[in-house]
Amino acid sequence: MEAAYVFRVAVRLDPPDATVDPDRFETTMELPASEPETDGWLFFRDRLWRGEVGDDPSFRKLAEERLGVAPAASVEVVAADFREFRTDEAYLDALTDAIADDLGRFNADSVDEVVHKYLGSSVHVRG
């Protein structure tokens, strides 16, 4: 089983002892998805809303941590956009089963409603 959250992030460099051009660039960041019903599996519920990053400043800080640039005062994630939830069929089946087991946790009537509520139309199943 494999799945990942894919984001486009913009990073700005502001080194104290040099000039850089460009001082901003964009890159793709993939965060592995935790297996359903394990620690961290609710990342989509806690961070996304209708396929968008829910709390942008908080997520940019998380992105800086995951990219390993958080302690650097001269590097900052200035934007982050959710692009897709990339998954295989086995992971998606396990995820939908876990959601179905506790729909009340998501305040929803169906698995499809939960998936759309948090991931929008950004679920891409790959072989």
Side-chain angles (χ1 to χ4, degrees):
M1 283 192 326
E2 251 183 63
Y5 300 94
V6 181
F7 298 88
R8 172 66 89 191
V9 294
V11 178
R12 184 175 57 226
L13 304 174
D14 187 20
D17 299 320
T19 302
V20 294
D21 184 29
D23 65 346
R24 178 182 165 136
F25 65 92
E26 291 187 357
T27 191
T28 300
M29 178 180 74
E30 289 186 26
L31 300 179
S34 298
E35 288 191 28
E37 300 191 77
T38 65
D39 190 40
W41 82 279
L42 293 171
F43 181 86
F44 67 94
R45 184 198 68 179
D46 299 338
R47 293 291 184 171
L48 303 173
W49 183 252
R50 304 226 186 273
E52 300 291 331
V53 173
D55 181 355
D56 190 51
S58 172
F59 186 83
R60 285 182 290 160
K61 181 177 172 151
L62 173 77
E64 289 172 354
E65 292 168 0
R66 296 288 181 98
L67 291 170
V69 299
S74 61
V75 181
E76 177 184 18
V77 172
V78 293
D81 297 307
F82 177 65
R83 293 296 186 205
E84 70 176 310
F85 180 67
R86 188 178 300 150
T87 183
D88 61 23
E89 197 69 46
Y91 185 96
L92 186 58
D93 289 345
L95 179 65
T96 57
D97 288 348
I99 292 169
D101 287 346
D102 194 2
L103 278 175
R105 172 186 290 207
F106 303 98
N107 194 26
D109 295 324
S110 71
V111 171
D112 287 342
E113 180 184 349
V114 172
V115 171
H116 182 71
K117 183 189 288 189
Y118 296 102
L119 297 168
S121 60
S122 300
V123 177
H124 295 111
V125 179
R126 298 195 176 184

